[in-house]
Amino acid sequence: MQEAALQIEEVLLVCPVRGPLGISALAKDGLTSTEEARRVDFLRFLIEERNYPQDHIRVEVVTVKNLGESGRNRMQADVIVYDCPWPEIANSPMPQTLSHAILVAEIKRDSSKKRKGVLYQLEPALRLLPRLDTIGVYWDDENRTLFTKTVKSKGEHQEITVRSDSIANLPDYGIAYHTKAITVNTLTRPANLVATLQGIANVMRSHGVNDEQQRYKETVKLLLARYIDERKAKVSTSKQLKLQVLDGPDSGFMSRVERMYTEASVRYARVQTLFSPIARPELDEDTLRDLVRGIQGFDFSSASSETMQQVFMTFVPVVFKKNLSQYFTPASLIDTMVKMVAPGPTEKIADPAMGTADFLTAALNYCTERGDDDAFGRIFGIDSDASAFDLAIVNMILNKDGQANLRREDSIENHMRWSEEMDVVLCNPPFGSNTVEKRVNVLGEFDLGHQWVADDDTPGHWLKTERIAESQQLGILFIERCWKMLRPGGRLAIILPEGYLSTASHGYVRQWILDNLIIRSLVELPRRIFVKSNADLRSNILVAEKKMPGVSGPRYPIHASMVRRVGYKLGGDFSPLPLKDKATGNSIRDSHNRIVLDSDFRRVLIEYSATPKTLERSWVDATVADIVCRTDLDMKPRRLAPRALRNIRNLRAGGAIPLQQIAEVIESKIDLLTDIGRSELRRVVEGQDIRAVEGIVVPHFPERCWEIAERKQRKVYQLCHRDIVVGLVRPERRNVGLLLVEGDDIVGSPDGLAVVRVLPDKEQDYPTGWLFSVLRSEQVRLQFWTESGGTSYGKLDSERIENVLIPIPQKQERIRIAQRVEAWVSSASQYSLAWCQIGTQGDRRPILNSPLTGLFDDDNT
């Protein structure tokens, strides 16, 4: 993929008439980018689909002046089209100019303004324009309607009558309008398909259909019937659609509609929830006529994959009475993984844990958008869950209908299904300690279903034994299941929890990956990306190739990156987050007028496309050697990211030494209950008590030892004045503090912090103040961050802290830094002392979150 194809144009919008539009162009008209975007959509429709000459079109045109009693009012059209180029009549008087007007349009941002837009703007403008053949158009996010006018005699007078029609009947430039049946080649794509279908559901409500499940079920049935209608119309001689309301009585309306529903029920027979027991529409004719009028001008087959996912997430859960949150994966993530493996025009694609088939629909769309019409027969998916399988069928139908090769079965048990048949496998497997396989006969068929032991002769190497494990997480087995499906050289993109890539207990999993796959990319995802799936953990993308037989694999480059912004709101409703213009906050759109999501995936694709397949002299980023050189075979993307690697290499080149050579991480603990006493008072320090910005440690208010032991744990560190305290959780926040408070009653919780003390014989050369400053430096922070492990928040341990590399400047510089720290300590101590002189000890007691606080004295000290 070329970088240029992924870059965003430095404009908010591109208008086919006015050209690139920045914020200054919008501000001139007092518009937002959303309002202007509607107009751009309409202009593209006129120029690209109806062949209107660009130089015949003007925007924001005054059609009538001198209205009202004072004559100061005027009527303005959003878009107006003339029968000749505008420059030819630009200097003509207004009446003469308006005599050339053949189309006038009113554009609104959303459908809530339709009534006023039509009644008070479009229709009056249409009536005042002199030509009888002038056409009007109303256009918003949901409605696209054509208006024409005729003259009718009423007694001795003539009256202008305005009537509406489908936008599909807007004629090409130069062709006179006349009422006709809608054909498939005249349809226009809806701007907001979800809003259009919601409008259909609301029409049913107005007809007395009060059950939401029935409304949504009929909405989906109508959509599928329309799919059949459009496909049949494309190959028919007349191109005429069946689902439309014709002029006049149209006595054949119901028979046409029922025929489309019957054909849809046959074509989509696997979705029994929709068309069983009644294949026909379960609505009366009047309701159906209103529904069909609402959709008859729209092209549903060409809707984007993002749009169809929104339709799927909105309507299908209600029909099936299922919550799709557990299956939600952001479209930006799915599309990125598909683009990274880039399925070719002859390649088979599979997902052995397909869920609702989001990966498969994205892969299908990727192929068909590149002209690969044969892809429908090369998409394969498996899932054992009945609900997920039914939802996958509907999802595939809504996305170009690739349902033929979906199977409902146990993919792990049927581990030889499609063995070595696939070129591309995409997967987001179930993972976690609660999703395990325990069947001995099944586990025995997997290398990763066996027990593995550390190789005593080769540190960091693992050996598979003949003993079958008592159980194994399904997420781990699915790595091997994907591998089984791939042909040698086939490509895999899979989502894995970070624990598989970093924790010591899963070292054998990393050994298996290195032995059987060539790692092409490792991308860290934000922690809350799967929070709706009850998987609030750090996860990663692994992109790899199946090794060819007998090839051990030489050194090769690895793309490593991180994603923090995914284009959607994480942890909430997962609504899209557009990229904003920094100066104004307006949403930025691409050259096709589509909202650009605020996502890091665009950058990831650019980086990945620039990564060579074989090691080149110019390559300075991660290689497989950066994994195998470590005894823990750590594969965390953040450790392999270019910035992290450069930091380590620079430190080593500069003579940095491990922390343990000049300081110790305290291991000894005391027992609160036996070494001190249950009723004694102590001030405890936890990881959250390190103020990362200031570098100060603030102990809790005094508590009884039994309270601390009950709330946290019995064995704690005895803290001393000027101890360096390192927070173990989320060390990327620079959680390193210095204990400035004096007293022998301060203890630390080992669960959240570590205590670092300079070795007594090193204090003179390496002062505590200097070491405190170094541990808060960016060079060390990056190491703490990249070395932290775990599947949720990153967490350090004592061994990793001891091995962190410390840059060692000249002794004179170390002394100078220590003096600066001493000056800060003095200032901070004076601040703390001054604060403690304000009020009493009781004034500083923390306020508990209790309705009883303040009502009586509960002082048990």
Side-chain angles (χ1 to χ4, degrees), residues 697-726:
V697 178
V698 181
H700 285 204
F701 201 77
E703 299 176 82
R704 302 287 184 189
C705 284
W706 70 265
E707 292 178 300
I708 298 173
E710 190 175 80
R711 183 169 56 83
K712 295 299 293 183
Q713 55 197 85
R714 286 179 57 168
K715 292 188 176 182
V716 294
Y717 299 124
Q718 176 67 60
L719 297 185
C720 301
H721 179 53
R722 298 175 65 84
D723 273 344
I724 300 173
V725 182
V726 178

PDB file of all heavy atoms in Angstrom, residues 697-726:
ATOM      1  N   VAL A 697       6.010  11.033  47.756  1.00  0.00           N
ATOM      2  CA  VAL A 697       5.254   9.921  48.325  1.00  0.00           C
ATOM      3  C   VAL A 697       4.465  10.445  49.525  1.00  0.00           C
ATOM      4  O   VAL A 697       5.042  11.048  50.441  1.00  0.00           O
ATOM      5  CB  VAL A 697       6.192   8.785  48.765  1.00  0.00           C
ATOM      6  CG1 VAL A 697       5.393   7.657  49.405  1.00  0.00           C
ATOM      7  CG2 VAL A 697       6.979   8.269  47.563  1.00  0.00           C
ATOM      8  N   VAL A 698       3.154  10.206  49.529  1.00  0.00           N
ATOM      9  CA  VAL A 698       2.281  10.723  50.589  1.00  0.00           C
ATOM     10  C   VAL A 698       1.642   9.546  51.321  1.00  0.00           C
ATOM     11  O   VAL A 698       0.742   8.894  50.794  1.00  0.00           O
ATOM     12  CB  VAL A 698       1.187  11.643  50.019  1.00  0.00           C
ATOM     13  CG1 VAL A 698       0.323  12.191  51.141  1.00  0.00           C
ATOM     14  CG2 VAL A 698       1.814  12.776  49.221  1.00  0.00           C
ATOM     15  N   PRO A 699       2.077   9.230  52.528  1.00  0.00           N
ATOM     16  CA  PRO A 699       1.496   8.105  53.268  1.00  0.00           C
ATOM     17  C   PRO A 699       0.030   8.364  53.623  1.00  0.00           C
ATOM     18  O   PRO A 699      -0.431   9.502  53.691  1.00  0.00           O
ATOM     19  CB  PRO A 699       2.362   8.032  54.538  1.00  0.00           C
ATOM     20  CG  PRO A 699       3.600   8.786  54.216  1.00  0.00           C
ATOM     21  CD  PRO A 699       3.191   9.852  53.252  1.00  0.00           C
ATOM     22  N   HIS A 700      -0.698   7.261  53.883  1.00  0.00           N
ATOM     23  CA  HIS A 700      -2.083   7.353  54.314  1.00  0.00           C
ATOM     24  C   HIS A 700      -2.167   7.934  55.729  1.00  0.00           C
ATOM     25  O   HIS A 700      -1.180   8.011  56.458  1.00  0.00           O
ATOM     26  CB  HIS A 700      -2.722   5.952  54.334  1.00  0.00           C
ATOM     27  CG  HIS A 700      -3.038   5.422  52.979  1.00  0.00           C
ATOM     28  ND1 HIS A 700      -3.992   4.470  52.747  1.00  0.00           N
ATOM     29  CD2 HIS A 700      -2.528   5.726  51.755  1.00  0.00           C
ATOM     30  CE1 HIS A 700      -4.040   4.195  51.457  1.00  0.00           C
ATOM     31  NE2 HIS A 700      -3.157   4.938  50.849  1.00  0.00           N
ATOM     32  N   PHE A 701      -3.389   8.253  56.122  1.00  0.00           N
ATOM     33  CA  PHE A 701      -3.671   8.636  57.509  1.00  0.00           C
ATOM     34  C   PHE A 701      -3.436   7.405  58.394  1.00  0.00           C
ATOM     35  O   PHE A 701      -3.645   6.271  57.950  1.00  0.00           O
ATOM     36  CB  PHE A 701      -5.128   9.100  57.609  1.00  0.00           C
ATOM     37  CG  PHE A 701      -5.415   9.953  58.797  1.00  0.00           C
ATOM     38  CD1 PHE A 701      -5.049  11.287  58.825  1.00  0.00           C
ATOM     39  CD2 PHE A 701      -6.053   9.426  59.914  1.00  0.00           C
ATOM     40  CE1 PHE A 701      -5.313  12.085  59.924  1.00  0.00           C
ATOM     41  CE2 PHE A 701      -6.319  10.205  61.025  1.00  0.00           C
ATOM     42  CZ  PHE A 701      -5.946  11.549  61.023  1.00  0.00           C
ATOM     43  N   PRO A 702      -2.989   7.564  59.617  1.00  0.00           N
ATOM     44  CA  PRO A 702      -2.691   6.393  60.469  1.00  0.00           C
ATOM     45  C   PRO A 702      -3.875   5.436  60.602  1.00  0.00           C
ATOM     46  O   PRO A 702      -5.017   5.850  60.751  1.00  0.00           O
ATOM     47  CB  PRO A 702      -2.329   7.026  61.819  1.00  0.00           C
ATOM     48  CG  PRO A 702      -1.843   8.394  61.480  1.00  0.00           C
ATOM     49  CD  PRO A 702      -2.670   8.831  60.312  1.00  0.00           C
ATOM     50  N   GLU A 703      -3.555   4.121  60.544  1.00  0.00           N
ATOM     51  CA  GLU A 703      -4.553   3.066  60.727  1.00  0.00           C
ATOM     52  C   GLU A 703      -3.992   2.009  61.668  1.00  0.00           C
ATOM     53  O   GLU A 703      -2.772   1.875  61.823  1.00  0.00           O
ATOM     54  CB  GLU A 703      -4.890   2.397  59.381  1.00  0.00           C
ATOM     55  CG  GLU A 703      -5.486   3.293  58.326  1.00  0.00           C
ATOM     56  CD  GLU A 703      -5.675   2.537  57.012  1.00  0.00           C
ATOM     57  OE1 GLU A 703      -6.677   1.814  56.868  1.00  0.00           O
ATOM     58  OE2 GLU A 703      -4.794   2.672  56.136  1.00  0.00           O
ATOM     59  N   ARG A 704      -4.912   1.219  62.287  1.00  0.00           N
ATOM     60  CA  ARG A 704      -4.484   0.092  63.099  1.00  0.00           C
ATOM     61  C   ARG A 704      -3.855  -0.962  62.185  1.00  0.00           C
ATOM     62  O   ARG A 704      -4.261  -1.139  61.037  1.00  0.00           O
ATOM     63  CB  ARG A 704      -5.671  -0.529  63.830  1.00  0.00           C
ATOM     64  CG  ARG A 704      -6.423   0.429  64.739  1.00  0.00           C
ATOM     65  CD  ARG A 704      -5.646   0.757  65.986  1.00  0.00           C
ATOM     66  NE  ARG A 704      -6.438   1.607  66.888  1.00  0.00           N
ATOM     67  CZ  ARG A 704      -5.940   2.184  67.970  1.00  0.00           C
ATOM     68  NH1 ARG A 704      -4.661   1.996  68.281  1.00  0.00           N
ATOM     69  NH2 ARG A 704      -6.704   2.947  68.746  1.00  0.00           N
ATOM     70  N   CYS A 705      -2.887  -1.679  62.705  1.00  0.00           N
ATOM     71  CA  CYS A 705      -2.221  -2.709  61.896  1.00  0.00           C
ATOM     72  C   CYS A 705      -3.200  -3.766  61.402  1.00  0.00           C
ATOM     73  O   CYS A 705      -3.078  -4.264  60.276  1.00  0.00           O
ATOM     74  CB  CYS A 705      -1.092  -3.354  62.706  1.00  0.00           C
ATOM     75  SG  CYS A 705       0.375  -2.308  62.846  1.00  0.00           S
ATOM     76  N   TRP A 706      -4.162  -4.139  62.266  1.00  0.00           N
ATOM     77  CA  TRP A 706      -5.110  -5.160  61.825  1.00  0.00           C
ATOM     78  C   TRP A 706      -5.967  -4.657  60.664  1.00  0.00           C
ATOM     79  O   TRP A 706      -6.362  -5.442  59.779  1.00  0.00           O
ATOM     80  CB  TRP A 706      -5.991  -5.629  62.987  1.00  0.00           C
ATOM     81  CG  TRP A 706      -7.005  -4.622  63.488  1.00  0.00           C
ATOM     82  CD1 TRP A 706      -6.857  -3.764  64.527  1.00  0.00           C
ATOM     83  CD2 TRP A 706      -8.312  -4.374  62.939  1.00  0.00           C
ATOM     84  NE1 TRP A 706      -7.977  -2.994  64.691  1.00  0.00           N
ATOM     85  CE2 TRP A 706      -8.900  -3.358  63.730  1.00  0.00           C
ATOM     86  CE3 TRP A 706      -9.051  -4.908  61.905  1.00  0.00           C
ATOM     87  CZ2 TRP A 706     -10.173  -2.866  63.481  1.00  0.00           C
ATOM     88  CZ3 TRP A 706     -10.319  -4.429  61.659  1.00  0.00           C
ATOM     89  CH2 TRP A 706     -10.879  -3.409  62.440  1.00  0.00           C
ATOM     90  N   GLU A 707      -6.249  -3.336  60.619  1.00  0.00           N
ATOM     91  CA  GLU A 707      -7.025  -2.781  59.526  1.00  0.00           C
ATOM     92  C   GLU A 707      -6.242  -2.835  58.210  1.00  0.00           C
ATOM     93  O   GLU A 707      -6.788  -3.190  57.160  1.00  0.00           O
ATOM     94  CB  GLU A 707      -7.414  -1.328  59.834  1.00  0.00           C
ATOM     95  CG  GLU A 707      -8.405  -1.167  60.971  1.00  0.00           C
ATOM     96  CD  GLU A 707      -8.697   0.285  61.257  1.00  0.00           C
ATOM     97  OE1 GLU A 707      -7.752   1.034  61.588  1.00  0.00           O
ATOM     98  OE2 GLU A 707      -9.870   0.680  61.134  1.00  0.00           O
ATOM     99  N   ILE A 708      -4.956  -2.492  58.316  1.00  0.00           N
ATOM    100  CA  ILE A 708      -4.124  -2.540  57.109  1.00  0.00           C
ATOM    101  C   ILE A 708      -4.003  -3.982  56.614  1.00  0.00           C
ATOM    102  O   ILE A 708      -4.129  -4.263  55.418  1.00  0.00           O
ATOM    103  CB  ILE A 708      -2.723  -1.954  57.401  1.00  0.00           C
ATOM    104  CG1 ILE A 708      -2.842  -0.487  57.820  1.00  0.00           C
ATOM    105  CG2 ILE A 708      -1.829  -2.098  56.179  1.00  0.00           C
ATOM    106  CD1 ILE A 708      -1.526   0.114  58.286  1.00  0.00           C
ATOM    107  N   ALA A 709      -3.773  -4.912  57.540  1.00  0.00           N
ATOM    108  CA  ALA A 709      -3.620  -6.314  57.165  1.00  0.00           C
ATOM    109  C   ALA A 709      -4.889  -6.864  56.542  1.00  0.00           C
ATOM    110  O   ALA A 709      -4.848  -7.646  55.573  1.00  0.00           O
ATOM    111  CB  ALA A 709      -3.228  -7.134  58.391  1.00  0.00           C
ATOM    112  N   GLU A 710      -6.025  -6.442  57.072  1.00  0.00           N
ATOM    113  CA  GLU A 710      -7.304  -6.926  56.557  1.00  0.00           C
ATOM    114  C   GLU A 710      -7.599  -6.344  55.183  1.00  0.00           C
ATOM    115  O   GLU A 710      -8.144  -7.009  54.301  1.00  0.00           O
ATOM    116  CB  GLU A 710      -8.409  -6.564  57.553  1.00  0.00           C
ATOM    117  CG  GLU A 710      -9.752  -7.212  57.251  1.00  0.00           C
ATOM    118  CD  GLU A 710     -10.763  -6.905  58.335  1.00  0.00           C
ATOM    119  OE1 GLU A 710     -11.329  -5.786  58.305  1.00  0.00           O
ATOM    120  OE2 GLU A 710     -10.967  -7.766  59.227  1.00  0.00           O
ATOM    121  N   ARG A 711      -7.227  -5.076  55.012  1.00  0.00           N
ATOM    122  CA  ARG A 711      -7.526  -4.389  53.751  1.00  0.00           C
ATOM    123  C   ARG A 711      -6.520  -4.733  52.666  1.00  0.00           C
ATOM    124  O   ARG A 711      -6.882  -4.858  51.489  1.00  0.00           O
ATOM    125  CB  ARG A 711      -7.541  -2.878  53.987  1.00  0.00           C
ATOM    126  CG  ARG A 711      -7.900  -2.048  52.769  1.00  0.00           C
ATOM    127  CD  ARG A 711      -8.142  -0.598  53.154  1.00  0.00           C
ATOM    128  NE  ARG A 711      -7.002  -0.019  53.846  1.00  0.00           N
ATOM    129  CZ  ARG A 711      -5.927   0.499  53.242  1.00  0.00           C
ATOM    130  NH1 ARG A 711      -5.867   0.488  51.928  1.00  0.00           N
ATOM    131  NH2 ARG A 711      -4.948   1.025  53.942  1.00  0.00           N
ATOM    132  N   LYS A 712      -5.258  -4.878  53.018  1.00  0.00           N
ATOM    133  CA  LYS A 712      -4.222  -5.150  52.023  1.00  0.00           C
ATOM    134  C   LYS A 712      -3.578  -6.511  52.289  1.00  0.00           C
ATOM    135  O   LYS A 712      -4.035  -7.519  51.793  1.00  0.00           O
ATOM    136  CB  LYS A 712      -3.167  -4.036  52.041  1.00  0.00           C
ATOM    137  CG  LYS A 712      -3.687  -2.679  51.618  1.00  0.00           C
ATOM    138  CD  LYS A 712      -4.237  -2.676  50.183  1.00  0.00           C
ATOM    139  CE  LYS A 712      -3.147  -2.905  49.178  1.00  0.00           C
ATOM    140  NZ  LYS A 712      -3.678  -2.831  47.777  1.00  0.00           N
ATOM    141  N   GLN A 713      -2.494  -6.547  53.092  1.00  0.00           N
ATOM    142  CA  GLN A 713      -1.810  -7.787  53.425  1.00  0.00           C
ATOM    143  C   GLN A 713      -0.969  -7.594  54.691  1.00  0.00           C
ATOM    144  O   GLN A 713      -0.637  -6.469  55.062  1.00  0.00           O
ATOM    145  CB  GLN A 713      -0.916  -8.246  52.267  1.00  0.00           C
ATOM    146  CG  GLN A 713       0.075  -7.209  51.803  1.00  0.00           C
ATOM    147  CD  GLN A 713       0.631  -7.537  50.430  1.00  0.00           C
ATOM    148  OE1 GLN A 713       0.046  -7.211  49.440  1.00  0.00           O
ATOM    149  NE2 GLN A 713       1.774  -8.220  50.414  1.00  0.00           N
ATOM    150  N   ARG A 714      -0.641  -8.721  55.317  1.00  0.00           N
ATOM    151  CA  ARG A 714       0.055  -8.651  56.615  1.00  0.00           C
ATOM    152  C   ARG A 714       1.508  -8.249  56.466  1.00  0.00           C
ATOM    153  O   ARG A 714       2.013  -7.448  57.246  1.00  0.00           O
ATOM    154  CB  ARG A 714      -0.028 -10.003  57.325  1.00  0.00           C
ATOM    155  CG  ARG A 714      -1.385 -10.317  57.898  1.00  0.00           C
ATOM    156  CD  ARG A 714      -1.394 -11.685  58.570  1.00  0.00           C
ATOM    157  NE  ARG A 714      -0.392 -11.800  59.634  1.00  0.00           N
ATOM    158  CZ  ARG A 714      -0.352 -12.792  60.505  1.00  0.00           C
ATOM    159  NH1 ARG A 714      -1.288 -13.744  60.452  1.00  0.00           N
ATOM    160  NH2 ARG A 714       0.572 -12.832  61.441  1.00  0.00           N
ATOM    161  N   LYS A 715       2.191  -8.798  55.485  1.00  0.00           N
ATOM    162  CA  LYS A 715       3.631  -8.565  55.370  1.00  0.00           C
ATOM    163  C   LYS A 715       3.889  -7.353  54.486  1.00  0.00           C
ATOM    164  O   LYS A 715       3.428  -7.285  53.347  1.00  0.00           O
ATOM    165  CB  LYS A 715       4.315  -9.803  54.809  1.00  0.00           C
ATOM    166  CG  LYS A 715       4.266 -10.976  55.798  1.00  0.00           C
ATOM    167  CD  LYS A 715       5.113 -12.140  55.334  1.00  0.00           C
ATOM    168  CE  LYS A 715       5.124 -13.238  56.394  1.00  0.00           C
ATOM    169  NZ  LYS A 715       5.978 -14.379  55.992  1.00  0.00           N
ATOM    170  N   VAL A 716       4.621  -6.390  55.034  1.00  0.00           N
ATOM    171  CA  VAL A 716       4.850  -5.107  54.369  1.00  0.00           C
ATOM    172  C   VAL A 716       6.316  -4.720  54.476  1.00  0.00           C
ATOM    173  O   VAL A 716       7.087  -5.309  55.250  1.00  0.00           O
ATOM    174  CB  VAL A 716       3.972  -4.002  55.005  1.00  0.00           C
ATOM    175  CG1 VAL A 716       2.496  -4.270  54.765  1.00  0.00           C
ATOM    176  CG2 VAL A 716       4.277  -3.866  56.497  1.00  0.00           C
ATOM    177  N   TYR A 717       6.702  -3.701  53.683  1.00  0.00           N
ATOM    178  CA  TYR A 717       8.049  -3.136  53.798  1.00  0.00           C
ATOM    179  C   TYR A 717       8.064  -2.100  54.916  1.00  0.00           C
ATOM    180  O   TYR A 717       7.107  -1.359  55.114  1.00  0.00           O
ATOM    181  CB  TYR A 717       8.452  -2.435  52.494  1.00  0.00           C
ATOM    182  CG  TYR A 717       8.487  -3.319  51.285  1.00  0.00           C
ATOM    183  CD1 TYR A 717       7.731  -3.002  50.152  1.00  0.00           C
ATOM    184  CD2 TYR A 717       9.286  -4.456  51.244  1.00  0.00           C
ATOM    185  CE1 TYR A 717       7.771  -3.790  49.019  1.00  0.00           C
ATOM    186  CE2 TYR A 717       9.341  -5.267  50.113  1.00  0.00           C
ATOM    187  CZ  TYR A 717       8.569  -4.924  49.005  1.00  0.00           C
ATOM    188  OH  TYR A 717       8.609  -5.717  47.902  1.00  0.00           O
ATOM    189  N   GLN A 718       9.172  -2.061  55.657  1.00  0.00           N
ATOM    190  CA  GLN A 718       9.395  -0.971  56.607  1.00  0.00           C
ATOM    191  C   GLN A 718      10.098   0.149  55.843  1.00  0.00           C
ATOM    192  O   GLN A 718      11.228  -0.021  55.378  1.00  0.00           O
ATOM    193  CB  GLN A 718      10.264  -1.434  57.775  1.00  0.00           C
ATOM    194  CG  GLN A 718      10.608  -0.325  58.753  1.00  0.00           C
ATOM    195  CD  GLN A 718       9.381   0.183  59.504  1.00  0.00           C
ATOM    196  OE1 GLN A 718       8.712  -0.578  60.213  1.00  0.00           O
ATOM    197  NE2 GLN A 718       9.086   1.476  59.348  1.00  0.00           N
ATOM    198  N   LEU A 719       9.403   1.275  55.658  1.00  0.00           N
ATOM    199  CA  LEU A 719       9.959   2.366  54.867  1.00  0.00           C
ATOM    200  C   LEU A 719      10.769   3.319  55.736  1.00  0.00           C
ATOM    201  O   LEU A 719      10.474   3.517  56.919  1.00  0.00           O
ATOM    202  CB  LEU A 719       8.841   3.140  54.164  1.00  0.00           C
ATOM    203  CG  LEU A 719       7.998   2.345  53.140  1.00  0.00           C
ATOM    204  CD1 LEU A 719       7.018   3.253  52.437  1.00  0.00           C
ATOM    205  CD2 LEU A 719       8.890   1.631  52.128  1.00  0.00           C
ATOM    206  N   CYS A 720      11.799   3.889  55.128  1.00  0.00           N
ATOM    207  CA  CYS A 720      12.679   4.828  55.810  1.00  0.00           C
ATOM    208  C   CYS A 720      12.683   6.165  55.069  1.00  0.00           C
ATOM    209  O   CYS A 720      12.399   6.236  53.875  1.00  0.00           O
ATOM    210  CB  CYS A 720      14.115   4.281  55.853  1.00  0.00           C
ATOM    211  SG  CYS A 720      14.264   2.695  56.689  1.00  0.00           S
ATOM    212  N   HIS A 721      13.018   7.197  55.808  1.00  0.00           N
ATOM    213  CA  HIS A 721      13.148   8.529  55.223  1.00  0.00           C
ATOM    214  C   HIS A 721      14.120   8.499  54.042  1.00  0.00           C
ATOM    215  O   HIS A 721      15.190   7.933  54.120  1.00  0.00           O
ATOM    216  CB  HIS A 721      13.645   9.499  56.302  1.00  0.00           C
ATOM    217  CG  HIS A 721      13.838  10.899  55.825  1.00  0.00           C
ATOM    218  ND1 HIS A 721      12.857  11.619  55.178  1.00  0.00           N
ATOM    219  CD2 HIS A 721      14.935  11.719  55.909  1.00  0.00           C
ATOM    220  CE1 HIS A 721      13.319  12.813  54.880  1.00  0.00           C
ATOM    221  NE2 HIS A 721      14.574  12.902  55.315  1.00  0.00           N
ATOM    222  N   ARG A 722      13.687   9.070  52.897  1.00  0.00           N
ATOM    223  CA  ARG A 722      14.471   9.188  51.674  1.00  0.00           C
ATOM    224  C   ARG A 722      14.589   7.870  50.911  1.00  0.00           C
ATOM    225  O   ARG A 722      15.476   7.717  50.048  1.00  0.00           O
ATOM    226  CB  ARG A 722      15.859   9.783  51.954  1.00  0.00           C
ATOM    227  CG  ARG A 722      15.794  11.203  52.517  1.00  0.00           C
ATOM    228  CD  ARG A 722      17.174  11.711  52.905  1.00  0.00           C
ATOM    229  NE  ARG A 722      18.026  11.845  51.743  1.00  0.00           N
ATOM    230  CZ  ARG A 722      18.059  12.909  50.933  1.00  0.00           C
ATOM    231  NH1 ARG A 722      17.243  13.925  51.168  1.00  0.00           N
ATOM    232  NH2 ARG A 722      18.874  12.969  49.913  1.00  0.00           N
ATOM    233  N   ASP A 723      13.680   6.924  51.188  1.00  0.00           N
ATOM    234  CA  ASP A 723      13.582   5.745  50.323  1.00  0.00           C
ATOM    235  C   ASP A 723      13.045   6.163  48.947  1.00  0.00           C
ATOM    236  O   ASP A 723      12.180   7.049  48.836  1.00  0.00           O
ATOM    237  CB  ASP A 723      12.624   4.711  50.926  1.00  0.00           C
ATOM    238  CG  ASP A 723      13.304   3.767  51.889  1.00  0.00           C
ATOM    239  OD1 ASP A 723      14.552   3.696  51.876  1.00  0.00           O
ATOM    240  OD2 ASP A 723      12.593   3.101  52.671  1.00  0.00           O
ATOM    241  N   ILE A 724      13.566   5.506  47.908  1.00  0.00           N
ATOM    242  CA  ILE A 724      13.008   5.682  46.560  1.00  0.00           C
ATOM    243  C   ILE A 724      11.925   4.624  46.380  1.00  0.00           C
ATOM    244  O   ILE A 724      12.189   3.422  46.536  1.00  0.00           O
ATOM    245  CB  ILE A 724      14.090   5.530  45.483  1.00  0.00           C
ATOM    246  CG1 ILE A 724      15.185   6.580  45.677  1.00  0.00           C
ATOM    247  CG2 ILE A 724      13.465   5.664  44.088  1.00  0.00           C
ATOM    248  CD1 ILE A 724      16.378   6.387  44.758  1.00  0.00           C
ATOM    249  N   VAL A 725      10.720   5.059  46.069  1.00  0.00           N
ATOM    250  CA  VAL A 725       9.578   4.153  45.952  1.00  0.00           C
ATOM    251  C   VAL A 725       9.145   4.111  44.485  1.00  0.00           C
ATOM    252  O   VAL A 725       8.884   5.157  43.873  1.00  0.00           O
ATOM    253  CB  VAL A 725       8.406   4.620  46.846  1.00  0.00           C
ATOM    254  CG1 VAL A 725       7.246   3.642  46.746  1.00  0.00           C
ATOM    255  CG2 VAL A 725       8.875   4.749  48.288  1.00  0.00           C
ATOM    256  N   VAL A 726       9.070   2.901  43.924  1.00  0.00           N
ATOM    257  CA  VAL A 726       8.698   2.711  42.510  1.00  0.00           C
ATOM    258  C   VAL A 726       7.336   2.024  42.446  1.00  0.00           C
ATOM    259  O   VAL A 726       7.147   0.942  43.027  1.00  0.00           O
ATOM    260  CB  VAL A 726       9.748   1.852  41.773  1.00  0.00           C
ATOM    261  CG1 VAL A 726       9.333   1.626  40.316  1.00  0.00           C
ATOM    262  CG2 VAL A 726      11.116   2.512  41.848  1.00  0.00           C
TER     263      VAL A 726
END
